[in-house]
């Protein structure tokens, strides 16, 4: 192994600090030899004495001693004389760098123990500075593991270490002192690098001043005399500020002000009644024992503790008086400010009260004037219009007094007698608009707007409602008692003209308590077979006013109509005239159920009686059935045609085709029957299938008669007819799809979403309408508080989304599909 890398150019041994392969292998070797600490090293640490052979091995690892090598000696240099040593010790300023021969033994680098008479060619340097331009240049002799490790950790050559490159770039420079003095003895020892990295330093003048100040503390007073006593003075403003602070601090301690405190710190036991007394207690001279005079103690020239105590008491009392006077002055000032504000408020209240008194006196004069003119002996009696003007003046000029006053009593005393006189000869059915303007005016004057909802219980607080109930309502009761329900026009016009004037609860009372009982009684006495006036002429005008209130009348009306239709024949068109106005009044489900039960069977019997004869056809029965197309649903009409018409019609067509027919007549007959149906009926899939079946029969008949006689052009005519009819069907379907798409686009998503049932009852109602089942509530019937309904002939009730059906002994829950099956 070559040892050249361990020596410098002058042959002096140099320690190598590079990381070699041996270092890496030895670092991760758990069985490597370690330096064991001796007992002396554990006791004295770095001050322990050790032989050169027992020194801690260097970073390159511990080298084992070679006992087979020859003995070698280390030169200790030349011994100098005492004069030369003394001269070197005295020279402090012009001392040169220490030579290697003159350096102490412990600072001389050790030579390699290679034996022989090896002499280095050049001397190594000791002390001084070394150039760091080629920093890490030794790595060119190694694998450069140190530089690689630094670069892996983010180090960039030329920049400092650290996360933000805050480290110094160049190594720390060393500066040689001139002599052997202490640190700072020869001035500042900062290098150019330290001045660049740490420019901020304390000024020398400040450091000198601080040093002199600390030094003077240990010296005696140069004057050598006694110190003059220092007196502290307190101004009045300081005492005031002290009093304010103590007041703020003592304010939260009110709870501790009544605490009993026993003080046993002195010779005698003392009792205080607050903690504040402890902080203000005086130092009584007798409390502190007098100290015996020693040899070195000086006798006080002026020692009067009693006088000092009394003077201190006077000072404290004076301070407390000043503080108390300041607090009293501040209190008086605050009281003056408060009284000033109070005077302003009282003056404002006084002026407001004076205005209120003057306004009330004027209001009282006007009311007394009204009472005087209300007397029978007055020459100028008060009219209703003049009274309204007086109330308008009160409302405009004296609004607050008018709202605060008891308007109910005022109106009862003044307005009610005038109102009775005004409506004395009024007939509501002859002159329905009489008094609406004057009542509207009094509504604005008397109605209490503070009430959120009005009802009959507000008569004591609302003058207008009481006026309408006590003055106007008796006339209405009398006229309704004499009114005939079949002459509904005058009564409907009367209520329409007053609906925006009278209170809502009074209108509800008229409709529920007066009008509806009269209508109900009249419906019970109505007979559709004998009465010449149709019932819809005196029931339907009440729909805008009563709306859902008329629903209890629909069931007896349907029952009476059903009884009247038992002996009815479709040839009688009067039934349609009577039933047609009720189509939009009844619910779709109840209307369809009524049609299916009472009309559809009659129409089916009429179609059964229809005889289809191509040569002599009577169309009356067919017209009677088709005339009900708008009244019954399309599905019911299609069912009638499928069951009672098309089987006979197709049978006649087959028999006609089997007897050498004229195909032109068959084509005309086919097109003629098809023109009898509306587009809505023809668009139904079942009707399409029936007519397509007729076309298929005609095509088979034309194709099968190959050997026999066939009318010229018949096959082409039938094929053309088939193509034309199916093309029309295709065009009609496309047009219907386009219309549906446009309608859906116009309605939007909101309309589609609104069609979804909102609750379980709506879902049952929609299913009943789909299957033509009557679904309606049973009036006045409940089970455990739940409303009973009729679903077809079944009685049900709904509880929390479950349908219960009435069984033999109890109510049984069932599904919606089972309910539909039972109803059918």
């Amino acid at each position: 192994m070559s040892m050249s890398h361990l020596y410098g150019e002058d042959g002096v041994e140099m320690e190598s600090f590079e990381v070699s392969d041996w270092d890496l292998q030895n670092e991760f070797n758990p069985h490597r030899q370690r330096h064991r600490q001796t007992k002396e090293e554990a006791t004295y640490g770095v001050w322990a004495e050790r032989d050169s052979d027992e020194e801690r091995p260097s970073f390159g690892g511990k080298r084992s001693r070679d006992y087979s090598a020859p003995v070698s000696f280390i030169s200790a240099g030349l011994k100098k004389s005492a004069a030369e040593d003394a001269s070197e010790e005295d020279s402090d300023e012009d001392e040169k760098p220490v030579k290697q021969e003159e350096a102490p033994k412990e600072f001389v680098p050790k030579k390699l123990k290679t034996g022989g008479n090896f002499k280095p060619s050049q001397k190594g340097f000791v002390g001084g500075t070394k150039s760091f331009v080629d920093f890490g240049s030794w790595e060119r002799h190694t694998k450069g593991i140190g530089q690689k490790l630094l670069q892996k950790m983010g180090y960039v050559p030329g920049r400092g270490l650290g996360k933000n490159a805050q480290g110094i770039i160049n190594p720390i420079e060393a500066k040689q002192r001139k002599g052997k003095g202490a640190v700072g003895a020869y001035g500042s020892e900062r290098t150019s690098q330290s001045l660049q990295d740490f420019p901020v330093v304390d000024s020398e003048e400040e450091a000198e001043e601080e040093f002199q100040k600390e030094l003077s503390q240990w010296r005696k007073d140069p004057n050598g005399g006694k110190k003059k006593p220092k007196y502290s003075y307190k101004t009045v403003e300081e005492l005031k500020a002290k009093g304010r602070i103590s007041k703020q601090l003592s304010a939260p301690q009110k709870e501790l002000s009544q605490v009993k405190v026993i003080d046993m710190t002195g010779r005698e036991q003392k009792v205080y009644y607050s903690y504040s007394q402890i902080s203000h207690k005086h130092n009584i001279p007798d409390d502190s024992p007098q100290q015996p005079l020693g040899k070195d103690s000086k006798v006080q020239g002026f020692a009067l503790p009693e006088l000092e105590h009394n003077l201190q008491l006077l000072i404290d009392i004076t301070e407390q008086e000043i503080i108390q006077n300041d607090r009293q002055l501040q209190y008086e000032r605050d009281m003056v400010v408060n009284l000033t504000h109070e005077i302003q408020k009282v003056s404002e209240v006084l002026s407001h009260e004076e205005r209120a008194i003057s306004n009330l006196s004027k209001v009282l004069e006007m009311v007394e004037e009204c009472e005087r003119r209300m007397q029978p002996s007055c020459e100028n009696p008060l009219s209703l219009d003049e009274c309204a003007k007086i109330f308008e003046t009160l409302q405009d000029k004296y609004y607050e007094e008018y709202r605060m006053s008891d308007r109910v009593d005022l109106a009862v005393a003044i307005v009610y007698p005038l109102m009775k006189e005004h409506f004395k000869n009024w007939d509501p059915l002859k002159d329905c608009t009489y008094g609406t303007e004057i009542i509207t005016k009094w509504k604005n004057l008397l109605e209490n707007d503070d009430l959120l909802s009005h009802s009959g219980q507000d008569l004591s607080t609302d003058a207008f409602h009481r006026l309408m109930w006590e003055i106007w309502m008796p006339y209405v009761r009398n006229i309704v008692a004499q009114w005939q329900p079949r002459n509904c026009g005058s009564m409907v016009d009367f209520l329409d003209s007053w609906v925006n004037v009278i209170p809502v609860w009074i209108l509800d009372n008229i409709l529920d308590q007066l009008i509806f009982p009269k209508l109900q009684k009249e419906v019970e006495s109505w007979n559709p077979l004998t009465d010449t006036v149709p019932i819809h002429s005196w029931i339907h005008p009440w729909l805008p006013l009563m709306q859902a209130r008329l629903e209890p009348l629909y069931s007896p009306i349907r029952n009476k109509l059903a009884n009247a239709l038992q002996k009815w024949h479709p040839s009688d068109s009067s039934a349609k005239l009577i039933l047609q106005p009720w189509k939009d009044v009844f619910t779709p489900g109840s209307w369809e159920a009524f049609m299916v039960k009472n009309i559809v069977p009659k129409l089916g019997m009429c179609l059964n009686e229809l005889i289809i004869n191509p040569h002599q056809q009577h169309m009356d029965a067919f017209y009677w059935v088709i005339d009900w197309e708008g009244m019954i649903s399309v599905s019911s009409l299609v069912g009638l045609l499928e069951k009672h018409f098309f089987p006979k019609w197709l049978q006649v067509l087959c028999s006609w085709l089997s007897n050498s027919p004229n195909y032109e007549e068959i084509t005309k007959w086919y097109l003629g029957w098809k023109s009898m149906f509306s587009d809505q009926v023809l668009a139904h899939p079942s009707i399409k299938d029936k007519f397509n079946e007729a076309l298929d029969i005609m095509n088979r008949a034309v194709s099968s008669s190959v050997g026999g006689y066939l009318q010229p052009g018949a096959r082409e005519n039938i094929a053309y007819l088939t193509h034309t009819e199916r093309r029309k069907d295709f065009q009609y379907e496309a047009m219907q799809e386009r219309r549906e798409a446009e309608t859906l686009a116009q309605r939007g998503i909101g309309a589609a979403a609104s069609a979804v049932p909102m609750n379980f009852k709506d879902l049952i109602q929609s299913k009943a309408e789909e299957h033509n089942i009557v679904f309606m509530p049973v009036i006045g019937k409940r089970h455990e508080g739940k409303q009973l309904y009729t679903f077809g002939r079944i009685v049900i009730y709904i509880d929390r989304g479950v349908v219960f059906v009435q069984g033999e002994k109890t109510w049984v829950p069932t599904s919606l599909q089972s309910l539909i099956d039972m109803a059918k």
Side-chain angles (χ1 to χ4, degrees), residues 289-302:
Q290 297 181 357
Q291 299 292 335
L293 296 176
K295 295 179 179 180
D296 298 333
S297 61
K298 296 180 180 181
V299 180
Q300 296 182 359
F302 185 79

Side-chain angles (χ1 to χ4, degrees), residues 663-673:
Y663 285 95
E664 291 181 1
E665 294 180 358
I666 292 178
T667 302
K668 292 180 182 179
W669 181 77
Y670 171 85
L671 295 175
W673 275 108

Side-chain angles (χ1 to χ4, degrees), residues 37 63 178 196 233 282 296 300 382 470 489 527 573 660 662 667 714 758:
Q37 193 178 32
R63 293 188 293 270
K178 297 178 181 180
Q196 181 180 357
Y233 300 95
H282 302 290
D296 298 333
Q300 296 182 359
L382 184 67
E470 295 182 358
N527 187 358
S573 60
S660 301
N662 185 353
T667 302
M758 298 301 294

Side-chain angles (χ1 to χ4, degrees), residues 25 71 77 130 145 208 302 335 342 378 409 445 470 472 515 521 546 556 604 652 656 689 769 791:
Q25 294 175 3
V71 178
K130 185 179 179 181
I145 186 65
E208 183 65 22
F302 185 79
M335 183 63 68
E342 189 109 2
C378 182
D409 296 338
L445 293 173
E470 295 182 358
W472 184 84
I515 302 297
K521 185 176 180 181
M546 303 188 70
V652 171
W656 193 3
D689 293 340
E769 292 175 0
F791 192 83

Side-chain angles (χ1 to χ4, degrees), residues 742-810:
E742 292 176 356
T743 304
L744 185 60
Q746 292 176 358
R747 287 188 302 175
I749 302 175
S754 63
V756 178
M758 298 301 294
N759 52 32
F760 193 61
K761 178 185 174 184
D762 295 340
L763 178 62
I764 295 175
Q765 186 171 359
S766 62
K767 291 294 183 182
E769 292 175 0
E770 290 178 6
H771 296 277
N772 300 325
I773 300 173
V774 178
F775 175 68
M776 60 181 297
V778 181
I779 304 300
K781 297 293 184 179
R782 291 180 176 272
H783 176 72
E784 295 181 355
K786 305 295 188 302
Q787 177 66 46
L788 296 180
Y789 300 90
T790 57
F791 192 83
R793 297 182 179 179
I794 305 172
V795 180
I796 64 171
Y797 76 90
I798 304 169
D799 185 13
R800 289 176 291 183
V802 180
V803 180
F804 289 86
V805 180
Q806 187 176 15
E808 295 179 358
K809 295 182 180 180
T810 182

